[in-house]
Amino acid sequence: MRSYLDFEKPVAELETKVDELRALAENGEAVSIGEELNKLQAKAAKALADLYAGLTPWQKIQVARHPQRPHFSDYVRQLFDEFTPLAGDRLFGEDFAIVGGFGRFRGEPICVIGQEKGSDTSSRLHHNFGMARPEGYRKAVRLMELADRFGLPVVSLVDTAGAFPGIDAEERGQAEAIARSTDVSLLLGVPNVAVVVGEGGSGGAIAIAAANRVLMLEHSVYTVASPEASASILWRDSAKAQEAATSMKITAQDLLKFGIIDLIVTEPPGGAHRDPQAAIGAVGEALAKELAGLANLSREQLRQFRADKFLAMGRKLEEKR
């Protein structure tokens, strides 16, 4: 059953009417409604396209958090063959918020790492809503170092509200784990490509997204802190989250303009949650193109490419002022 966001109510009403007419036609309870049904379907499709063409940053956040949006496990099932997950950081334990392992992408061996939010109450609790503890980032480090040792490209699928802020995580060195993971990402001698598929929240995202190429889905967001948290810090009022979302420039379109990301992957009409298979397919095509473009670079060239990319961000932002 399709779940609608609050701002999608006009579309929901039209699509409900379409479903009602279609049901009548299938049950033989209506005569000659084909033309009316087609008109209503076209009207609903146009309303959806117009709505998503002008989403505000706050609305994009709602889309990025949509419960039916494809998650890490969905991407792995569709894009990667023979995926074998590895567990544990070899220091403390396993973290289920970050999932990673090795598989094949279009026949070639590859390392895949990403946050898994879960798709129902049980799985969300199991994966801690995609918010990793230190052991999750240390597991990511272990996987990236293995990939580097065997010369395998690394793909990161980013979807997290942020690193877990609990006391236990802080006691085990959350900040150090994030910094170490970011450092290893930057120093890899193999190609790495990151894709923000939903939320890219704070250090929890950058820890696995310091890559040669950073991509974002059209309606995903990438931010130093959630708008709610930012509003609480800046104005002591989380109700100003919408204002914070607009001011923070967190959409793919803004971040491409500022040189923070490299490419926007187009989503199906109405967002990735309406057609997950098509959205995942588009990510697969983008990944194949980006990895091919990095394949012939040497280890030193890859490191220099990455260093130049991230150092240029600050310079570009200074030029925009």
Side-chain angles (χ1 to χ4, degrees):
M1 184 177 177
R2 182 172 292 153
S3 174
Y4 291 96
L5 300 168
D6 288 342
F7 67 85
E8 293 180 311
K9 285 181 179 178
V11 175
E13 292 172 1
L14 288 171
E15 291 186 338
T16 299
K17 291 178 182 177
V18 168
D19 291 339
E20 289 173 355
L21 283 178
R22 189 179 288 119
L24 289 173
E26 289 174 355
N27 294 332
E29 297 178 16
V31 181
S32 302
I33 63 169
E35 185 176 348
E36 183 180 352
L37 180 59
N38 290 337
K39 286 181 179 179
L40 198 57
Q41 285 176 322
K43 186 177 179 181
K46 185 178 185 304
L48 183 68
D50 290 345
L51 178 64
Y52 271 75
L55 292 182
T56 66
W58 180 247
Q59 288 170 336
K60 281 184 179 286
I61 284 186
Q62 292 176 273
V63 175
R65 294 172 175 171
H66 198 290
Q68 294 174 341
R69 197 171 177 87
H71 298 295
F72 177 84
S73 56
D74 301 307
Y75 285 91
V76 167
R77 276 193 295 270
Q78 186 169 326
L79 295 181
F80 303 100
D81 299 320
E82 302 175 29
F83 178 71
T84 302
L86 299 185
D89 64 349
R90 299 300 184 267
L91 292 169
F92 179 81
E94 167 66 335
D95 182 87
F96 296 102
I98 288 185
V99 181
F102 295 87
R104 292 187 181 274
F105 177 64
R106 302 193 174 185
E108 297 297 324
I110 200 166
C111 175
V112 191
I113 303 169
Q115 288 101 352
E116 172 60 59
K117 285 185 171 181
S119 56
D120 54 31
T121 302
S122 176
S123 62
R124 286 170 191 149
L125 290 171
H126 178 69
H127 293 289
N128 199 33
F129 300 88
M131 297 186 293
R133 292 176 168 86
E135 46 272 25
Y137 297 109
R138 292 179 179 129
K139 176 172 67 175
V141 166
R142 185 168 75 89
L143 291 173
M144 287 188 281
E145 289 178 340
L146 274 174
D148 196 30
R149 186 180 308 163
F150 292 105
L152 304 180
V154 177
V155 168
S156 300
L157 300 176
V158 180
D159 188 15
T160 181
F164 184 64
I167 293 174
D168 60 330
E170 296 298 331
E171 288 175 342
R172 294 197 294 277
Q174 183 74 292
E176 184 276 337
I178 290 172
R180 171 69 176 148
S181 182
T182 305
D183 182 53
V184 169
S185 295
L186 289 169
L187 295 178
L188 284 175
V190 294
N192 61 341
V193 179
V195 187
V196 182
V197 296
E199 285 186 277
S202 191
I206 195 66
I208 61 171
N212 287 115
R213 300 284 288 175
V214 180
L215 286 54
M216 285 181 70
L217 282 180
E218 182 181 2
H219 302 307
S220 59
V221 294
Y222 196 15
T223 172
V224 69
S226 72
E228 295 90 340
S230 299
S232 296
I233 294 167
L234 293 172
W235 299 295
R236 308 287 184 184
D237 184 2
S238 60
K240 291 188 176 182
Q242 294 188 40
E243 184 179 343
T246 302
S247 302
M248 292 167 68
K249 307 299 182 186
I250 60 178
T251 66
Q253 293 72 23
D254 282 328
L255 295 173
L256 181 65
K257 181 173 65 176
F258 289 125
I260 305 299
I261 65 166
D262 303 295
L263 180 73
I264 297 174
V265 180
T266 303
E267 296 189 27
H273 56 280
R274 281 183 169 258
D275 192 347
Q277 189 171 358
I280 295 171
V283 169
E285 291 298 322
L287 280 175
K289 184 177 179 180
E290 297 298 336
L291 289 170
L294 298 168
N296 295 323
L297 298 181
S298 68
R299 295 177 70 85
E300 284 307 315
Q301 285 175 322
L302 286 165
R303 293 189 184 105
Q304 191 60 49
F305 182 107
R306 219 174 280 125
D308 292 343
K309 167 187 168 62
F310 281 89
L311 288 171
M313 289 179 185
R315 298 188 187 109
K316 285 184 180 179
L317 290 174
E318 283 295 326
E319 291 169 4
K320 294 285 183 181
R321 290 183 180 179

